[in-house]
Amino acid sequence: MSSTDPFDRMRFTVRKVSWWQVALVVAVALALGTALALVAASVFLVVFPIIVIAGLAYRLFGGRQRTGRSGGPEIIEAEYRVLSPEEAARADKDRWDSDRRVR
């Protein structure tokens, strides 16, 4: 028997769900949530102390070695002179060997 209603296939029916099916879904959801919480807590309890110990070891024994100098700028004193274009060209030619290594 065919229906003349064009929207017949788009309709859905509401089924009554019994209380034990709802209880079963809630119990499964609670079990999964508890299991995920236990896994997250155990990973945190194992990984966190390792990270703290590694950080303390790096702070005490590793890292950049501090020198006796203060952290201020280092000043290099020298004499400077301005080269003429001819002197600069000559200096560039003299700077390179035939095998292109810096002297």
Side-chain angles (χ1 to χ4, degrees):
M1 184 173 205
S2 82
S3 173
T4 58
D5 188 6
F7 300 107
D8 189 33
R9 291 186 184 187
M10 297 176 83
R11 293 185 185 178
F12 60 93
T13 58
V14 177
R15 294 180 55 189
K16 186 175 181 180
V17 180
S18 64
W19 66 270
W20 64 268
Q21 290 173 329
V22 173
L24 183 66
V25 168
V26 169
V28 168
L30 285 174
L32 285 175
T34 304
L36 287 174
L38 284 174
V39 168
S42 63
V43 166
F44 178 75
L45 290 175
V46 170
V47 172
F48 183 70
I50 292 172
I51 290 174
V52 169
I53 291 170
L56 286 174
Y58 179 76
R59 177 86 169 165
L60 293 175
F61 305 114
R64 193 170 54 163
Q65 298 296 328
R66 296 188 177 141
T67 59
R69 291 187 256 153
S70 65
E74 188 174 321
I75 299 172
I76 302 173
E77 293 187 25
E79 291 182 20
Y80 298 98
R81 69 183 179 99
V82 178
L83 296 178
S84 68
E86 294 85 18
E87 287 177 317
R90 218 171 336 144
D92 282 343
K93 286 182 187 175
D94 292 340
R95 187 173 176 193
W96 297 99
D97 281 341
S98 62
D99 59 354
R100 305 296 287 172
R101 290 189 183 156
V102 177
R103 288 186 188 174

